[in-house]
Amino acid sequence: MGDNLLNIKVQDYINANLNADLHSLLLKKSPFPEVSMQEIVQQIKGKQVALKKFPFLLKDGIIFPPQLNLEQASSEKTALYKSGILQGEKFIDLTAGFGIDAYYLSEHFNEITLVEQNPDLLETVRHNWNVLGKKAKFINRKLENFLRENQETFDVIYLDPARRDNNKNKVFLLEDLSPDILAIQEKLLLASHKVVIKLSPLIDIKYLISVLPDIFRIDIIAIKNDVKEIVIFLSKEKNDSISCYCVNLESNEPVFEFEYEDEENAHATYGEPEKYIFTPNNTILKAGIFNLISQKKRLKKLHPNTHIYTSDSKIDGFPGRIFEMEIADPKSIKKKSQYNIISKNYPLKPEEIKKKYSIKDGGENYLIFTQSKKGKIILKSV
């Protein structure tokens, strides 16, 4: 598998063309009769993706799979976070894919099993793990068949269902994923004390809770405020509440922890803008805990539909950005001046605002166009 690709001259050619135009490269004839130009370009793409998503694979001897498998693989950063919350004796990944999650999540386990239905992809992972000195049991089988025949019990089962249908369209409901989570959830829980499932950041959390009675934990994981994945935890053990964690990696923001039921019982207070303005990060917005943030952090909300908060004091540990601002008169906004524009619960989008006020985007100062209970307002950096 891939022996010809590992030839030193082929590898030198790949490394020499990491910044080449790949479309132009594909039009050329391969200088190696035993390796096609398509295979060479695939390896170049793999190294380019690895540089950003999983740099630990930038080692001699590593083989990269086709583009689709690279796109579906988790990033090293989110995998590292998840590895810190899982441990036990036996770990199994039922949808191993390119093995990035399994490589990290299995770090605190003694026995590791990887199940993958694509034989070529599984062989690639087996080869790479040998290069990296990581041991596992590799099983080439469909997940459903494995569960039907399995007699073992695992401390943790992990899976990352495919989120595209046969027409390559994205799907989000659990029954539309591959595998169908609703159809196999009982079998999963018979084989493990804990089932961990990675899902799309677009999936609805209320829907998840309504269809998965055994859910006990939800992690909303972002990197630099870009929500990358929703991770859910299932267990047959009785749980009186669902613990939720809003995690914004590569930021200085703390993890925000709460019980899912807390939002239903929370009450927001409202007020007009004060000295400090607080805008929650996207994990908080995804969680929908708009009243809880007000109550827990003792902040006033500007409007029921404006998820912006205010206080006369700068508080520590807020999961988002904090600005020192004042209410601005629209006439005070100078033409051709430069601002970062934020529009929340306001009739105009940032592009429309820039055009209306003849201002440029960027710089160090901010303008927030929003609404309080008294009506539309503009907030300006102090």
Side-chain angles (χ1 to χ4, degrees):
M1 183 230 76
D3 288 345
N4 292 326
L5 280 171
L6 295 174
N7 180 286
I8 293 175
K9 289 183 178 180
V10 175
Q11 286 293 308
D12 286 345
Y13 184 85
I14 290 169
N15 291 328
N17 285 278
L18 290 179
N19 298 315
D21 180 80
L22 299 187
H23 293 291
S24 300
L25 210 56
L26 280 169
L27 298 174
K28 295 181 179 180
K29 183 181 178 182
S30 171
F32 310 101
E34 68 279 7
V35 180
S36 71
M37 189 55 82
Q38 286 79 8
E39 290 175 297
I40 289 170
V41 168
Q42 180 176 306
Q43 296 310 301
I44 293 172
K45 283 183 180 178
K47 286 179 180 283
Q48 290 173 345
V49 172
L51 187 63
K52 295 179 180 179
K53 283 184 75 173
F54 22 80
F56 78 100
L57 286 181
L58 293 172
K59 295 181 183 293
D60 291 338
I62 296 295
I63 297 290
F64 293 96
Q67 182 74 9
L68 181 61
N69 302 122
L70 292 170
E71 290 173 0
Q72 292 174 340
S74 290
S75 75
E76 183 176 338
K77 293 161 188 170
T78 58
L80 265 170
Y81 165 76
K82 287 176 284 189
S83 74
I85 52 180
L86 294 175
Q87 59 183 6
E89 180 65 25
K90 296 169 72 176
F91 171 90
I92 185 168
D93 187 337
L94 291 176
T95 55
F98 190 38
I100 304 299
D101 268 334
Y103 184 86
Y104 283 101
L105 269 64
S106 63
E107 187 172 336
H108 304 298
F109 294 82
N110 292 323
E111 294 183 33
I112 304 161
T113 303
L114 272 62
V115 178
E116 171 54 50
Q117 64 180 2
N118 182 329
D120 294 333
L121 185 57
L122 189 66
E123 281 307 304
T124 298
V125 176
R126 189 200 302 267
H127 165 82
N128 289 343
W129 281 37
N130 283 336
V131 171
L132 296 166
K134 181 98 167 173
K135 293 183 179 179
K137 182 179 180 182
F138 298 89
I139 299 176
N140 177 214
R141 200 166 303 164
K142 281 194 71 173
L143 177 156
E144 293 86 352
N145 294 340
F146 174 84
L147 284 175
R148 195 179 303 116
E149 301 159 8
N150 173 60
Q151 300 295 319
E152 286 188 80
T153 300
F154 302 89
D155 294 291
V156 171
I157 286 178
Y158 179 78
L159 60 159
D160 177 6
R163 302 181 203 120
R164 292 184 184 273
D165 61 18
N166 293 331
N167 297 318
K168 306 298 181 184
N169 297 315
K170 289 184 178 181
V171 293
F172 303 102
L173 296 178
L174 296 183
E175 58 266 36
D176 295 331
L177 303 179
S178 179
D180 176 348
I181 299 300
L182 299 185
I184 65 170
Q185 60 179 316
E186 290 301 321
K187 289 181 180 178
L188 292 170
L189 288 163
L190 284 172
S192 179
H193 311 301
K194 186 183 292 181
V195 176
V196 182
I197 307 172
K198 172 188 165 185
L199 297 167
S200 163
L202 298 178
I203 201 159
D204 184 77
I205 291 174
K206 287 184 179 179
Y207 158 74
L208 288 176
I209 292 169
S210 70
V211 297
L212 293 171
D214 298 304
I215 192 167
F216 72 92
R217 173 171 174 161
I218 301 170
D219 285 38
I220 303 171
I221 307 173
I223 299 175
K224 293 181 180 178
N225 207 30
D226 181 9
V227 179
K228 295 294 186 183
E229 53 195 68
I230 308 294
V231 181
I232 59 173
F233 298 69
L234 310 179
S235 173
K236 271 300 181 187
E237 294 179 11
K238 190 177 184 315
N239 298 290
D240 296 324
S241 61
I242 300 171
S243 299
C244 300
Y245 299 81
C246 292
V247 184
N248 191 14
L249 302 174
E250 295 198 353
S251 75
N252 294 320
E253 299 164 16
V255 174
F256 189 83
E257 179 183 351
F258 63 99
E259 301 300 308
Y260 182 77
E261 298 79 5
D262 291 350
E263 175 66 15
E264 294 179 13
N265 304 316
H267 299 282
T269 55
Y270 293 90
E272 292 302 300
E274 297 179 351
K275 183 177 181 181
Y276 293 100
I277 299 295
F278 302 78
T279 61
N281 69 36
N282 286 331
T283 66
I284 300 296
L285 298 179
K286 178 65 185 179
I289 47 173
F290 309 124
N291 293 334
L292 186 62
I293 283 288
S294 170
Q295 182 174 296
K296 270 203 165 189
K297 296 299 182 181
R298 297 181 181 178
L299 299 171
K300 295 172 186 174
K301 207 168 186 285
L302 296 187
H303 184 281
N305 298 323
T306 300
H307 308 312
I308 295 177
Y309 304 80
T310 191
S311 173
D312 251 341
S313 305
K314 189 175 183 179
I315 64 167
D316 294 325
F318 180 75
R321 294 190 291 178
I322 305 172
F323 303 92
E324 190 173 342
M325 307 194 91
E326 63 184 10
I327 295 177
D329 183 338
K331 295 177 182 177
S332 71
I333 301 173
K334 297 178 182 179
K335 287 188 176 183
K336 296 186 179 179
S337 53
Q338 195 172 31
Y339 289 98
N340 294 289
I341 308 297
I342 296 173
S343 177
K344 299 280 188 182
N345 193 24
Y346 195 81
L348 298 180
K349 296 177 181 178
E351 287 301 319
E352 295 170 319
I353 290 168
K354 284 187 284 183
K355 186 175 180 180
K356 178 178 178 178
Y357 291 94
S358 300
I359 52 181
K360 297 177 182 179
D361 196 17
E364 295 182 357
N365 295 315
Y366 281 79
L367 287 174
I368 298 178
F369 291 74
T370 188
Q371 289 190 59
S372 71
K373 277 195 165 184
K374 288 185 178 180
K376 291 185 288 186
I377 51 173
I378 301 172
L379 301 170
K380 182 180 177 182
S381 298
V382 174

